[in-house]
Amino acid sequence: MSRVRAIELRLVALPLVRPFRTSFGVETEKVCILARVETEGAVGWGECVAGTEPDFSQEFNEVAWLVLRDFLAPALFAAGDVEPEGVEACFARVRGHPMAKATLLDAFLDAWLRERERSLASYLGAERERVPCGVSVGITPTTEELLAEVEGYLAEGYRRIKLKIAPGLDVERVAAVRRAHPDVPLSVDANAAYRLEDAETLAALDAFDLLMVEQPLHHEDLVEHAELARRVRTPICLDESIRSAADARAALALGSCRIVNIKQGRVGGILEARRIHDLCRERGVPVWCGGMLETGVGRAVNLALAAMPGFTLPGDTSASARYFREDLTEPHVLDPDGTMAVPRGPGIGVEPLPERLEACTRRTERLEAR
Ligand code: NPG
């Protein structure tokens, strides 16, 4: 059991090395909440995956901040001595808001593990010391720029390329990349930009031997994904649609997907991510670790998750240099063989560097147990 004495919320902002364009918008800066939790014996960190706008999800920073400050932090203080499962339980009366919940649960788990001198990877039963890494390539102004970017990432060693697509920026672009790289493991991610009426376009992607097409249709429509799955050969992977283990169970029961992207921040934290992993593993469904342009704090969590045995496909677990000129933590570095080390120190195994953190902080608020 551990007891939380104080929680500090911080809004931080880091410029991205290049703009990241998806079907729903362009990001030039990473702006996110970090939570710092003090227990009797340790300090833990958690990163919120929400962004500045309600686009990828209904959650966004300003709302997550309020939910953390006014509901989740008071619930955690009131809970007193708890285990990680008890933190989840004390958050249960807040409906939804998985990204806010994940922030504080993960920070608590980091502190709880540090008190016990245990790494997150060992807590999760992670088997690998290094994980194979992929990279997600945003939509570029031209096909030439896309080819150049892909070329650069392959030269760095990335083992799987994921291309962001949107209606009109799909078949030709994928064809060009496939022509240039006949054997590279390749996938596409639509971020819910298509409709079932676009099934023919999506079926045209079958020609390119893709690992998967990720989240082609509306985030709330499992039935239409199941219908689409009957019309295309490429496996469908779901991301936005899976906000919990219950969603994953429903999607698999309906045949809406054959692969699941696990982002712990999207599903309420590390414990729920583990449940989805276990469920998929039992059913022989491959999972992989998604990314949300996290700083080194969130990325450390992703690397530990990606080392679990059911994560059989390379994730969007890219190196710090893919996102930031200077990360908040010591950088996560890609080996030329396309793998990255899973942090092995206590807790998540990394901490924000104090000076970097101060330089990136836009706002802080400290909350104390009474
Ligand atoms: O490498 O962290 C990364 C980014 C991977 O493409 C990526 N993330 O839809 O999965 C996604 C997308 C994303 C990023 C979505 C940021 C929302 C915010």
Side-chain angles (χ1 to χ4, degrees):
M1 302 270 224
S2 298
R3 174 185 288 267
V4 176
R5 291 198 308 212
I7 296 167
E8 213 173 80
L9 301 178
R10 267 176 197 262
L11 191 69
V12 299
L14 283 80
L16 293 172
V17 287
R18 52 161 65 105
F20 186 65
R21 178 169 167 207
T22 65
S23 62
F24 55 73
V26 187
E27 310 222 19
T28 54
E29 198 183 37
K30 170 71 183 172
V31 184
C32 67
I33 299 170
L34 293 180
R36 176 183 180 277
V37 160
E38 287 171 33
T39 58
E40 300 288 319
V43 165
W45 290 93
E47 176 171 337
C48 186
V49 299
T52 52
E53 293 178 26
D55 43 24
F56 177 88
S57 120
Q58 294 164 355
E59 290 184 272
F60 62 103
N61 290 330
E62 294 308 315
V63 165
W65 187 285
L66 290 185
V67 171
L68 281 158
R69 185 189 69 192
D70 295 348
F71 300 102
L72 302 179
L76 185 51
F77 290 140
D81 278 316
V82 274
E83 302 285 4
E85 289 73 16
V87 177
E88 259 189 339
C90 84
F91 290 168
R93 60 170 279 279
V94 173
R95 198 169 281 189
H97 299 283
M99 295 178 173
K101 288 176 179 170
T103 312
L104 207 44
L105 171 68
D106 294 357
F108 174 87
L109 188 56
D110 183 31
W112 184 86
L113 287 165
R114 285 176 195 266
E115 284 182 354
R116 288 155 184 77
E117 292 184 12
R118 240 183 121 183
S119 71
L120 176 60
S122 93
Y123 172 77
L124 291 171
E127 292 174 344
R128 282 165 279 178
E129 306 220 325
R130 306 190 64 82
V131 292
C133 297
V135 62
S136 171
V137 186
I139 296 169
T140 49
T142 65
T143 304
E144 290 63 42
E145 282 159 275
L146 176 63
L147 288 169
E149 213 177 304
V150 167
E151 194 71 51
Y153 288 135
L154 290 174
E156 287 178 48
Y158 285 106
R159 296 213 187 160
R160 181 277 276 139
I161 298 287
K162 160 169 141 181
L163 306 176
K164 292 288 183 181
I165 56 167
L169 295 164
D170 41 37
V171 179
E172 277 175 41
R173 295 239 169 154
V174 177
V177 173
R178 182 45 96 209
R179 224 177 348 245
H181 305 284
D183 301 320
V184 162
L186 197 61
S187 67
V188 294
D189 182 3
N191 285 113
Y194 293 82
R195 300 185 313 171
L196 194 53
E197 293 85 271
D198 301 315
E200 250 176 62
T201 304
L202 295 164
L205 296 171
D206 285 342
F208 307 114
D209 191 24
L210 302 177
L211 289 170
M212 71 192 86
V213 50
E214 188 179 348
Q215 197 65 47
L217 308 179
H218 194 278
H219 65 284
E220 284 171 318
D221 209 328
L222 293 179
V223 171
E224 286 206 337
H225 276 101
E227 175 59 34
L228 179 65
R230 289 188 278 275
R231 303 203 208 163
V232 299
R233 270 201 331 269
T234 309
I236 292 174
C237 169
L238 290 178
D239 174 5
E240 286 97 309
S241 292
I242 310 294
R243 294 150 310 179
S244 63
D247 281 343
R249 210 170 299 117
L252 296 179
L254 286 168
S256 313
C257 66
R258 285 196 269 156
I259 300 177
V260 175
N261 167 336
I262 298 184
K263 289 177 178 163
Q264 62 84 24
R266 192 195 66 223
V267 303
I270 293 164
L271 301 181
E272 189 75 352
R274 178 167 67 183
R275 288 183 201 108
I276 297 174
H277 164 272
D278 294 350
L279 169 81
C280 290
R281 192 155 184 240
E282 250 165 51
R283 302 188 182 188
V285 172
V287 303
W288 57 280
C289 185
M292 298 281 283
L293 307 172
E294 289 92 341
T295 76
V297 173
R299 204 145 292 283
V301 174
N302 291 347
L303 288 165
L305 275 171
M308 293 176 78
F311 284 77
T312 52
L313 294 163
D316 287 341
T317 44
S318 310
S320 294
R322 148 77 182 81
Y323 312 98
F324 314 111
R325 211 164 53 77
E326 281 184 288
D327 205 335
L328 270 186
T329 61
E330 293 293 345
H332 297 284
V333 177
L334 188 77
D335 189 90
D337 75 353
T339 66
M340 281 211 291
V342 178
R344 284 280 154 188
I348 61 174
V350 301
E351 282 150 359
L353 302 167
E355 274 177 28
R356 291 284 306 142
L357 184 63
E358 284 315 316
C360 296
T361 298
R362 287 199 175 159
R363 188 198 316 161
T364 61
E365 195 164 341
R366 186 175 166 87
L367 313 164
E368 291 185 0
R370 285 206 222 141

